[in-house]
Amino acid sequence: MNLTPLSASTLVAVLCQTTAAHASPIDSVNTLGSQPTADQIQINQAPKLMLAKRYKDGVDLQHYWISEKLDGVRAYWDGQQLLSRQGYPISAPRWFTKALPDTPLDGELWMGRGQFDRTSAAVRRYQPLEHEWQQIHYRVFDLPASLAPFKQRIEQLRQLLQQLDAKHIQALEYRQVTSEAELNKLLQQDVAQGAEGLMLNRTDALYQGFRTDALLKLKMYQDDEAVVLAHLPGKGKYQGMLGAIEVQLATGQRLKLGSGFSDLQRQNPPPIGSTVSFKYFGLTETGKPRFASFLRSYTDSYPDSSAYR
């Protein structure tokens, strides 16, 4: 499909038909100045992001475009600042964000495959470190303000990013397959090269600010989210640190996660009431996740550990 190139200003105007509907979901905070107080980082509302459901066999693949599932930190640009998935401001250097347009963008801050912990630590600092942000790219995958279906949104996005001319701001690449066999081969190839998995976007879908089957994720393992209920003390080499966390799934089911934590995470565990993700390999006969282990925390509050500052 051939589209007439638009200027960045014209394209932004088209996308932002209703500015008020996409206003910043949090109070304005100067995250580049001195360390913020607890009141300053209080959020009002998290951005309404499009979230993926798990892929299941039987999907009509001809209606989906496929991209790599990035192992990065989700970041929403509201036209003025970068926000985390939970709505907290991200302290990016001014040079990093000054090229961004005044229309909302949805993407991930990404250092590369297998670099989630480094990326997360960099993004969560009060004061951004130049040498870390020089390694971070903003991989943009959607235009939340556009009313077009996904296939057209991606063309709009490509035109917009080309005119920004900022090397650290990039669109994703998309591929297509016609069969489950091709999809599985692509998954195995990407995972062997260090990718986390694949994302499938339905080409005719509008942007939806909730979890939807218009966006699917496919991994070698399964994952889910749960809320932390309790910290259980460690024993042996983990004496004085976290041993495990007790969590509750959306279904009400409870389980303990005792593996997958680094020593730093055991010293500074996810707060009670926060959301974490875990991975597992199928279900037991009783429906319990098999070999469940901690994957990551979605806590955006700023921990006391100096490792995150």
Side-chain angles (χ1 to χ4, degrees), residues 53 62 79 103 108 116 119 162 183 190 199 230 239 253 279 282 303:
K53 290 187 177 182
Q62 67 176 335
T103 188
E108 288 204 16
F116 173 79
T119 308
Q162 285 173 1
L183 181 64
D190 280 17
M199 300 296 294
Q239 186 72 36
Q253 186 180 49
K279 65 180 180 180

Coordinates of all heavy atoms in Angstrom, one line a residue, residues 53 62 79 103 108 116 119 162 183 190 199 230 239 253 279 282 303:
K53 N -2.7 -11.5 25.2 CA -3.1 -12.8 25.8 C -2.1 -13.8 25.2 O -1.3 -13.6 24.3 CB -4.5 -13.1 25.3 CG -5.5 -12.2 26.0 CD -7.0 -12.7 25.6 CE -8.0 -11.9 26.4 NZ -9.4 -12.4 26.1
Q62 N -2.8 -15.8 8.9 CA -2.7 -14.9 7.8 C -3.2 -13.5 8.2 O -2.9 -12.5 7.5 CB -3.5 -15.4 6.6 CG -5.0 -15.4 6.9 CD -5.8 -15.9 5.7 OE1 -5.3 -15.7 4.5 NE2 -7.0 -16.4 5.9
G79 N 3.4 12.3 25.2 CA 3.6 13.5 24.5 C 4.4 14.5 25.2 O 4.9 15.5 24.6
T103 N 2.6 13.4 20.2 CA 1.6 12.4 20.1 C 2.0 11.1 20.9 O 3.2 10.8 21.0 CB 1.3 11.9 18.6 OG1 0.1 11.1 18.6 CG2 2.5 11.2 18.0
E108 N 9.0 -0.1 24.1 CA 9.9 -0.6 25.2 C 11.3 0.0 25.1 O 11.8 0.3 24.1 CB 10.0 -2.1 25.1 CG 8.8 -2.9 25.5 CD 9.1 -4.3 25.9 OE1 10.2 -4.6 26.3 OE2 8.1 -5.1 26.0
F116 N 17.5 -7.4 30.4 CA 16.4 -6.8 31.1 C 16.9 -6.2 32.5 O 16.5 -5.1 32.8 CB 15.3 -7.9 31.4 CG 14.2 -7.3 32.3 CD1 13.2 -6.5 31.8 CD2 14.2 -7.7 33.6 CE1 12.2 -6.0 32.6 CE2 13.2 -7.1 34.5 CZ 12.2 -6.3 34.0
T119 N 18.7 -3.0 32.0 CA 17.8 -2.0 31.5 C 16.9 -1.5 32.6 O 16.7 -0.3 32.8 CB 16.9 -2.5 30.4 OG1 17.7 -3.1 29.4 CG2 16.1 -1.4 29.7
Q162 N 10.7 8.0 10.8 CA 11.7 8.4 9.8 C 12.0 9.9 9.8 O 13.1 10.3 9.6 CB 11.2 7.9 8.4 CG 11.4 6.4 8.2 CD 10.7 6.0 6.8 OE1 10.2 6.8 6.1 NE2 10.7 4.7 6.6
L183 N 5.6 -20.9 12.2 CA 5.6 -20.1 13.4 C 6.5 -20.7 14.4 O 7.3 -20.0 15.0 CB 4.2 -19.9 13.9 CG 4.0 -19.1 15.2 CD1 4.4 -17.7 14.9 CD2 2.6 -19.2 15.7
D190 N 14.5 -17.6 16.8 CA 14.7 -16.3 17.5 C 15.1 -16.6 19.0 O 16.0 -15.9 19.5 CB 13.4 -15.5 17.6 CG 13.1 -14.8 16.3 OD1 13.8 -15.1 15.3 OD2 12.3 -13.8 16.3
M199 N 5.7 -11.9 19.4 CA 4.4 -11.2 19.5 C 3.6 -11.2 18.2 O 4.2 -11.0 17.1 CB 4.6 -9.7 20.0 CG 5.4 -9.5 21.3 SD 4.5 -10.2 22.7 CE 3.1 -9.1 22.8
A230 N 2.9 -12.5 50.8 CA 3.8 -12.6 52.0 C 5.2 -12.9 51.6 O 5.5 -13.5 50.5 CB 3.3 -13.7 52.9
Q239 N 19.9 -17.4 54.7 CA 19.6 -17.0 56.0 C 19.7 -15.5 56.1 O 20.6 -14.8 55.7 CB 20.6 -17.6 57.1 CG 20.2 -17.3 58.5 CD 19.0 -18.1 59.0 OE1 18.8 -19.2 58.6 NE2 18.2 -17.5 59.8
Q253 N -6.1 -18.7 43.2 CA -5.1 -19.7 43.5 C -3.9 -19.1 44.1 O -3.4 -18.1 43.7 CB -4.8 -20.5 42.3 CG -3.9 -21.7 42.5 CD -3.6 -22.5 41.2 OE1 -3.2 -21.9 40.2 NE2 -3.9 -23.8 41.2
K279 N 7.2 -17.7 35.6 CA 7.1 -18.6 34.5 C 6.9 -20.0 35.0 O 7.2 -20.4 36.1 CB 8.4 -18.6 33.6 CG 9.7 -19.0 34.3 CD 10.9 -18.9 33.3 CE 12.2 -19.4 33.9 NZ 13.3 -19.3 33.0
G282 N 3.6 -25.7 31.9 CA 2.4 -26.5 31.9 C 1.7 -26.6 33.3 O 2.2 -25.9 34.3
P303 N 13.2 1.6 45.3 CA 13.7 0.9 46.4 C 14.8 1.6 47.1 O 15.5 2.5 46.5 CB 14.2 -0.4 45.8 CG 14.5 -0.1 44.4 CD 13.5 0.9 44.0

